[in-house]
Amino acid sequence: MTKSGNSAVTNLSPILPPAWLGILGGGQLGRMFIHEAQSLGYKVCVLDPDPLSPGGAVAEKHICADYGDEKALNEMANLCAAVSTEFENVPAKTLDYFQNKDIFVAPMGRCVSIAQDRILEKEFLQQCSVLSGIGPAPHHVIKTQSDLATVPTQLFPAILKTARMGYDGKGQVNVRDADELAVAWQGLGGNACVLEKRMPLAFEVSALIVRAHDGQVTAYPIAENIHRNGILHTSTVPSPSLVKHPNVSKKIIGASFEIAEKMAYVGVLCVEYFVLQDGSVLVNEIAPRPHNSGHYTMDASVTSQFEQQVRAMARLPLGDVTLMEPVAMLNILGDVWFDKDQAREPAWHHVLAHPSAKLHLYGKASPKLGRKMGHINCLGKGIQEAKDACVAVAHDLGIAP
Ligand code: ADP
Ligand code: MG
């Protein structure tokens, strides 16, 4: 779904290769962004404090310093025509630093600030729901001890989530009642949190959209996501559960466009949604960047989410989001390097014996339990064929069904 923009029209000219692009963060998202930028002829400078970062290994230039290091930021600013970020926990001040130097920043610090604070994010999503009709789950903000006493009992059972720095289910505790809540809040350091009612989910989906500097927007088909231990396990596209509900898909994409437009967002934006057992839809959270649930676009779509991020930040026209084949993406965690306590090398040759399986490894030095090491996109002539290939590949790697 694509529509042409009418707001925030600017007359900025495109940034053409071989200009330098800057990326904050050299994790797997940074690395895949760099590959696409280089493929389009750009040079990339990555800022990441880790000397062994996956992105640092492939960029033309790796500035190995903290995200607040002014000397490093100045060096990057002198080199790059535009800057983007691979993660939302980069200090918003860092993005503002580049913006103040008239470097094109996509997404802007203001958008990233909303996504890095669950309290601001919930408030913002609530505002967007007035027009989109899709709001967040019932919740209560807990900043101080006295907020514990004002929690409505109908919010339980609930999930306590830290307002900042949570990801992959980290910084979250299930609580059944007010007593458990008090203990959990202390356990999370007494920091600002959001208490969210545990909802009866039927399934989870994410919308992946791209918004250009001139307001043009486009949306990939919706992905259906399965999480394990709070970490994404598989994404299937098109969403098998939404195939017979085009109106729900349309509403979700419309709500995602609304969110992007309200922030004057530029770049790739992922919005996670819950579909409840009664068929109603809630918005969960936003990720102001390419997202794990969009990795399928690398092999199944005409234009990958990383290429779109490059196009958006370079003020180029957006690419075609057409899905060429149904696909199921399987995340590969460090767990597959271990058989119980025994270290092993995964049998990649067995995975690649499936002709439609496309393997992507991130080049991380040490596998750890729960650490994202790579993913496999399994293509198929139909959704079931893609899902079957995904199950077979997972089996070959010893991943539990
Ligand atoms: P993260 O930032 O770690 O991705 P999320 O808020 O997306 O945190 O939560 C991770 C997962 O936990 C969700 O994808 C969903 O499976 C589950 N979850 C989160 N909030 C709720 C809720 N209110 N009700 C039911 N399940 C939830
Ligand atoms: Mg999430």
Side-chain angles (χ1 to χ4, degrees):
M1 195 196 282
T2 299
K3 64 177 185 169
S4 56
N6 51 13
S7 61
V9 175
T10 57
N11 289 318
L12 294 169
S13 52
I15 297 162
L16 297 175
W20 282 82
L21 302 178
I23 182 85
L24 301 165
Q28 65 269 18
L29 299 175
R31 177 180 168 107
M32 291 184 273
F33 166 89
I34 295 165
H35 282 148
E36 291 284 24
Q38 290 172 331
S39 166
L40 283 168
Y42 292 95
K43 292 188 166 51
V44 185
C45 171
V46 63
L47 175 64
D48 191 306
D50 177 3
L52 297 177
S53 74
V58 298
E60 274 81 3
K61 186 171 179 63
H62 176 195
I63 302 176
C64 194
D66 279 335
Y67 299 109
D69 182 325
E70 209 155 312
K71 190 168 156 277
L73 298 185
N74 188 48
E75 190 183 351
M76 198 162 184
N78 286 335
L79 195 60
C80 298
V83 169
S84 186
T85 177
E86 68 146 12
F87 70 126
E88 52 270 40
N89 289 327
V90 63
K93 263 172 127 174
T94 299
L95 293 172
D96 293 343
Y97 177 92
F98 293 109
Q99 204 153 344
N100 293 337
K101 293 202 163 210
D102 274 340
I103 289 165
F104 192 64
V105 177
M108 284 179 292
R110 175 157 79 72
C111 304
V112 175
S113 309
I114 295 173
Q116 68 187 206
D117 184 320
R118 278 192 208 276
I119 299 173
L120 295 180
E121 183 179 49
K122 288 273 190 276
E123 264 169 28
F124 174 73
L125 293 174
Q126 193 79 57
Q127 286 165 18
C128 293
S129 72
V130 176
L131 284 175
S132 73
I134 301 182
H139 59 277
H140 190 80
V141 171
I142 296 175
K143 287 184 179 162
T144 63
Q145 186 85 32
S146 59
D147 294 326
L148 294 174
T150 54
V151 174
T153 48
Q154 62 269 27
L155 274 192
F156 295 109
I159 306 173
L160 183 66
K161 303 181 179 181
T162 54
R164 302 183 77 89
M165 297 305 235
Y167 70 99
D168 286 346
K170 293 186 177 68
Q172 298 194 7
V173 187
N174 288 314
V175 289
R176 277 174 301 190
D177 53 34
D179 291 341
E180 284 190 7
L181 169 62
V183 174
W185 187 63
Q186 288 304 333
L188 291 174
N191 290 310
C193 284
V194 173
L195 181 74
E196 212 174 296
K197 186 173 175 59
R198 175 167 280 286
M199 305 305 292
L201 311 188
F203 57 95
E204 294 185 61
V205 295
S206 52
L208 187 68
I209 66 151
V210 199
R211 188 170 183 278
H213 74 286
D214 61 0
Q216 192 204 342
V217 281
T218 190
Y220 285 94
I222 290 170
E224 184 165 334
N225 304 321
I226 295 176
H227 296 82
R228 279 190 183 173
N229 305 317
I231 306 175
L232 185 66
H233 174 53
T234 62
S235 292
T236 305
V237 190
S239 159
S241 306
L242 284 180
V243 165
K244 292 207 180 84
H245 303 281
N247 288 340
V248 179
S249 302
K250 227 171 139 182
K251 197 173 160 191
I252 287 173
I253 287 173
S256 308
F257 283 163
E258 186 66 41
I259 288 168
E261 236 151 73
K262 215 173 159 83
M263 286 192 283
Y265 191 87
V266 178
V268 174
L269 175 74
C270 179
V271 189
E272 294 180 9
Y273 292 88
F274 297 148
V275 181
L276 305 187
Q277 283 159 17
D278 66 1
S280 57
V281 181
L282 296 174
V283 57
N284 177 30
E285 61 174 353
I286 59 176
R289 52 174 170 77
H291 191 257
N292 196 165
S293 67
H295 288 355
Y296 75 86
T297 59
M298 296 171 80
D299 298 301
S301 307
V302 173
T303 314
S304 82
Q305 61 169 347
F306 298 102
E307 181 180 336
Q308 299 282 29
Q309 186 77 332
V310 176
R311 286 172 179 247
M313 79 186 282
R315 300 190 294 254
L316 292 167
L318 302 182
D320 185 353
V321 290
T322 301
L323 187 76
M324 296 181 291
E325 271 201 339
V327 57
M329 183 224 58
L330 174 73
N331 253 353
I332 302 166
L333 304 182
D335 305 46
V336 303
W337 273 258
F338 301 94
D339 185 9
K340 298 189 182 76
D341 284 341
Q342 208 65 28
R344 67 170 176 197
E345 205 53 38
W348 304 122
H349 52 299
H350 292 162
V351 170
L352 295 172
H354 299 271
S356 81
K358 306 289 285 181
L359 174 66
H360 300 266
L361 290 173
Y362 307 145
K364 294 187 182 178
S366 44
K368 282 191 198 142
L369 296 180
R371 180 181 237 184
K372 289 176 180 170
M373 300 296 289
H375 67 271
I376 303 168
N377 289 329
C378 303
L379 302 169
K381 295 277 169 281
I383 300 177
Q384 195 55 49
E385 196 179 304
K387 283 175 74 174
D388 289 346
C390 186
V391 168
V393 163
H395 176 266
D396 285 345
L397 287 173
I399 297 170

